[in-house]
């Protein structure tokens, strides 16, 4: 299903991560599943993210439709190696630029050391946050904690992510003051199995699609 588009998307994602400077991550992404699924049934999606479900609060989102996918896939696929951190106590925003550093980032974060983190402007951060939480479609929500904590975390991911990258993402669960985890899954929901490759044949996706 969607063989032409998925092949081009795999190549595109590999190039994005290569030029992001995370070459160790690139080696991990060589473990991408051979078939990137542009539409995913929610049950399968939740199975992929099950290891994340032991955090207290988590929300998982998808692109609403093929048009949104094609419009934003270039941007959010370039964000795969970036984890955004929102300090909700002080209204400050940070990001870590390589998954390889995430283990040490979290250790320092738990020890109150944040001066080395890359700061993010409110404008840049809100463009990410607002798209995920307001424009995209929420497919899953879990809330087991009512007492607010310090950090909200935002990231883009997908069921095509290789095991080593996924393992690094899972380190997020070790943030002591994790308030809420927001994940944008880079796919479209396939609840009714009515979406076809033709639905992705729009100008924003032409660079990923081989015309038939």
């Amino acid at each position: 299903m969607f063989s032409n588009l998925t092949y081009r998307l795999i190549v595109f994602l590999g190039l994005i991560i290569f030029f992001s400077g995370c070459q160790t991550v690139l080696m991990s992404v060589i473990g991408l599943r051979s078939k990137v699924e542009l539409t995913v049934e929610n049950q399968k999606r939740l199975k992929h993210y099950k290891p994340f479900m032991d955090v207290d609060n988590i929300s998982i989102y998808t692109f609403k439709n093929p048009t949104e996918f094609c419009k934003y896939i270039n941007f959010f696929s370039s964000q795969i190696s970036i984890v955004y951190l929102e300090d909700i106590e002080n209204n400050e925003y940070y990001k870590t630029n390589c998954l390889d550093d995430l283990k040490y980032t979290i250790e320092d974060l738990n020890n109150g050391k944040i001066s080395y983190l890359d700061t993010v402007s409110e404008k840049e951060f809100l463009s990410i946050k607002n798209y995920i939480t307001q424009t995209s479609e929420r497919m899953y929500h879990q809330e087991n904690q009512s007492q607010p904590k310090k950090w909200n975390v935002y990231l883009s991911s997908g069921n095509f992510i290789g095991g080593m990258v996924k393992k690094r993402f899972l380190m997020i669960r070790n943030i002591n003051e994790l308030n809420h985890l927001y994940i944008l899954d880079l796919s479209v929901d396939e609840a009714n199995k009515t979406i076809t490759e033709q639905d992705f044949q729009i100008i924003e996706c032409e660079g990923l699609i081989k015309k038939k």
Side-chain angles (χ1 to χ4, degrees):
M1 188 178 184
F2 311 133
S3 57
N4 291 326
L5 179 53
T6 56
Y7 172 77
R8 288 168 178 260
L9 184 55
I10 289 173
V11 173
F12 174 76
L13 290 170
L15 289 173
I16 284 289
I17 294 176
F18 177 79
F19 287 110
S20 73
C22 284
Q23 295 192 22
T24 303
V25 176
L26 174 66
M27 297 304 294
S28 301
V29 174
I30 291 177
L32 279 173
R33 300 172 194 270
S34 59
K35 180 179 179 182
V36 175
E37 297 177 84
L38 310 181
T39 63
V40 180
E41 293 179 346
N42 204 37
Q43 183 177 1
K44 184 174 183 178
R45 182 180 296 109
L46 294 182
K47 181 179 180 180
H48 175 76
Y49 290 108
K50 185 177 180 180
F52 293 89
M53 301 303 183
D54 59 359
V55 303
D56 288 329
N57 300 329
I58 180 173
S59 297
I60 300 173
Y61 300 79
T62 67
F63 294 117
K64 284 184 176 180
N65 51 53
T67 300
E68 286 291 302
F69 176 95
C70 292
K71 187 176 180 180
Y72 290 102
I73 185 62
N74 286 6
F75 175 75
F76 281 103
S77 62
S78 72
Q79 302 292 305
I80 286 177
S81 64
I82 301 176
V83 175
Y84 287 89
L85 302 159
E86 177 185 19
D87 180 349
I88 62 175
E89 293 180 353
N90 300 300
N91 294 321
E92 295 177 342
Y93 319 105
Y94 306 91
K95 65 182 178 181
T96 178
N97 286 310
C98 185
L99 292 175
D100 240 10
D101 298 332
L102 195 55
K103 175 182 178 180
Y104 305 104
T105 297
I106 292 172
E107 288 177 356
D108 288 342
L109 205 66
N110 289 339
N111 290 321
K113 301 176 182 178
I114 60 172
S115 60
Y116 68 94
L117 285 174
D118 290 335
T119 58
V120 180
S121 69
E122 182 178 42
K123 181 179 180 180
E124 177 184 347
F125 172 75
L126 289 181
S127 68
I128 305 278
K129 174 182 178 179
N130 291 343
Y131 183 85
I132 294 176
T133 61
Q134 297 179 22
T135 304
S136 61
E137 184 172 358
R138 190 170 74 180
M139 305 307 301
Y140 180 81
H141 179 71
Q142 171 180 289
E143 191 167 347
N144 293 323
Q145 158 215 319
S146 57
Q147 185 66 33
K149 295 184 179 179
K150 185 178 180 68
W151 298 102
N152 286 338
V153 175
Y154 302 79
L155 60 90
S156 57
S157 183
N159 67 355
F160 51 82
I161 291 296
M164 292 180 67
V165 175
K166 183 178 178 181
K167 185 176 180 179
R168 289 189 177 95
F169 273 146
L170 284 170
M171 296 177 187
I172 291 167
R173 300 174 303 172
N174 298 328
I175 297 176
N176 292 339
E177 289 296 312
L178 178 60
N179 183 66
H180 203 114
L181 173 59
Y182 298 88
I183 300 175
L184 175 62
D185 184 70
L186 303 184
S187 65
V188 179
D189 188 43
E190 195 187 45
N192 300 312
K193 297 187 178 181
T194 57
I195 299 173
T196 68
E197 184 170 354
Q198 188 64 35
D199 294 310
F200 291 89
Q201 303 284 336
I202 56 180
I203 190 168
E204 290 89 349
C205 265
E206 65 181 0
L208 298 174
I209 299 173
K210 181 178 180 182
K211 302 293 186 182
K212 293 184 178 179

